[in-house]
Amino acid sequence: MREIVVISGKGGAGKTSMAGAFAHLAENAILCDLDVDAPDLHLLLDPQVRSEEAFYSGHEAVIDAERCVGCGQCAELCRFDAVREDGDVYRVDPLACEGCKVCVALCPEKAIDFPEKHCGQWYVSDTRFGPMVHAQLFPGEENSGRLVTLLKQKARAMAEERGLDLVLCDGTPGIGCPVISSMAGTDLAVIVTEPTPSGLHDLKRVAELCDRFRTKVAVLVNKWDVNPAMTGEIEAWSKTKGYTLAGRFPHDRAVVDAMLERKVLTETDNAELSAILNASWAGILALLDTCN
């Protein structure tokens, strides 16, 4: 079983559009949307949820109003100003609480509980391209890296159970914790970038992260014809680093039209774009075959 993750140095580079098309072209694959903070692969694939689980991570303080005597010590001790006066007692603002447990440990009345925090939901679904594992963190929640790890573990387990050959992941943008979790155990990273100075800068950062994981890299330039000179610069740099060029994808209104119809690009009647994506996918699979 092999794993491919499609990532980008920033959001909006076209990562999910490419991942959706590759999901259509892939065979014997399980799909996994690892962008748990702002997932959108489901918008293209219209998954039918088969199971749903709550995701708990970390803890938060909760004051029991019946046990609270209103001494105010918790408010004085909280360095995050998460404890607020509420009439004769106090309450904790869950959005401000950092789960440090100081108020819990030092409350003289032991009136503060410290339950696990419900941070989001994760799902196992069916799509027209095969099974899919995905999730959604609640707004403002943390621990996305831990949720990404959980999704990858579930996807791999399902692939083994069903005899599937490939785990295809729509990763997260940037180089933060969820991306690091996305990269763990991945055979190949397909980096989607744009032909701009910031695109090249972000490509270099995320490619360096891949190098640290000893993960092979394929580079795909989206909207290459917006700036052909910069595209050439990106490709030249990629060659010097030994990265495989997965292809060039043009700027085309068909991408927006496909999104509005909740289709992936290879489901449209645009033969030129489909041919480009098929060639890119064939090159990606050929590179995957060389991974140890």
Side-chain angles (χ1 to χ4, degrees):
M1 180 179 58
R2 299 298 181 89
E3 182 178 313
I4 297 174
V5 60
V6 184
I7 54 177
S8 60
K10 72 171 188 65
K15 169 180 57 62
T16 298
S17 293
M18 300 300 122
F22 294 153
H24 184 201
L25 299 175
E27 298 178 356
N28 294 319
I30 186 167
L31 313 176
C32 192
D33 190 349
L34 300 179
D35 191 358
V36 297
D37 292 288
D40 51 14
L41 187 59
H42 65 282
L43 299 176
L44 300 178
L45 303 191
D46 190 25
Q48 305 303 304
V49 175
R50 298 306 178 199
S51 65
E52 178 178 352
E53 298 286 343
F55 173 65
Y56 291 89
S57 185
H59 297 78
E60 64 180 350
V62 178
I63 298 175
D64 185 338
E66 294 184 359
R67 288 183 284 161
C68 178
V69 297
C71 68
Q73 184 167 323
C74 52
E76 295 176 8
L77 293 172
C78 183
R79 61 178 296 187
F80 303 105
D81 295 324
V83 182
R84 314 286 169 78
E85 190 171 3
D86 185 12
D88 296 331
V89 295
Y90 287 79
R91 64 176 180 84
V92 177
D93 180 355
L95 295 179
C97 179
E98 292 289 331
C100 69
K101 204 178 179 180
V102 167
C103 61
V104 178
L106 298 179
C107 175
E109 299 298 320
K110 306 299 181 185
I112 306 178
D113 299 317
F114 201 51
E116 278 193 303
K117 192 173 186 180
H118 184 196
C119 299
Q121 301 290 120
W122 65 275
Y123 313 89
V124 175
S125 301
D126 292 330
T127 76
R128 59 189 182 278
F129 304 141
M132 176 177 171
V133 182
H134 53 119
Q136 174 69 73
L137 277 178
F138 296 146
E141 297 296 350
E142 299 180 355
N143 296 308
S144 55
R146 183 176 175 186
L147 180 53
V148 166
T149 298
L150 185 153
L151 294 182
K152 284 169 66 77
Q153 291 172 344
K154 182 62 178 179
R156 290 170 180 168
M158 288 181 59
E160 291 181 0
E161 291 171 3
R162 303 187 184 195
L164 301 176
D165 301 321
L166 177 66
V167 178
L168 177 60
C169 302
D170 182 14
T172 57
I175 59 171
C177 181
V179 185
I180 293 171
S181 297
S182 298
M183 294 302 304
T186 294
D187 297 290
L188 174 63
V190 179
I191 304 177
V192 181
T193 189
E194 295 174 315
T196 63
S198 61
L200 177 56
H201 171 267
D202 294 338
L203 168 63
K204 290 179 178 179
R205 293 203 311 161
V206 74
E208 181 182 357
L209 177 63
C210 293
D211 289 343
R212 292 182 179 274
F213 277 90
R214 295 185 175 89
T215 301
K216 286 197 173 183
V217 170
V219 177
L220 194 158
V221 184
N222 190 23
K223 294 179 272 192
W224 75 269
D225 47 347
V226 171
N227 191 339
M230 181 57 69
T231 297
E233 187 175 339
I234 288 173
E235 293 178 340
W237 177 83
S238 299
K239 288 179 180 178
T240 63
K241 299 293 291 185
Y243 303 142
T244 298
L245 298 175
R248 296 174 166 184
F249 196 82
H251 184 275
D252 198 305
R253 170 71 193 189
V255 177
V256 177
D257 293 337
M259 289 181 182
L260 293 175
E261 296 176 10
R262 301 190 71 175
K263 293 181 179 180
V264 300
L265 290 166
T266 46
E267 291 182 296
T268 67
D269 57 3
N270 193 312
E272 179 183 358
L273 297 185
S274 293
I276 294 171
L277 287 164
N278 272 277
S280 296
W281 182 242
I284 289 168
L285 291 182
L287 180 59
L288 184 64
D289 287 339
T290 68
C291 296
N292 296 325

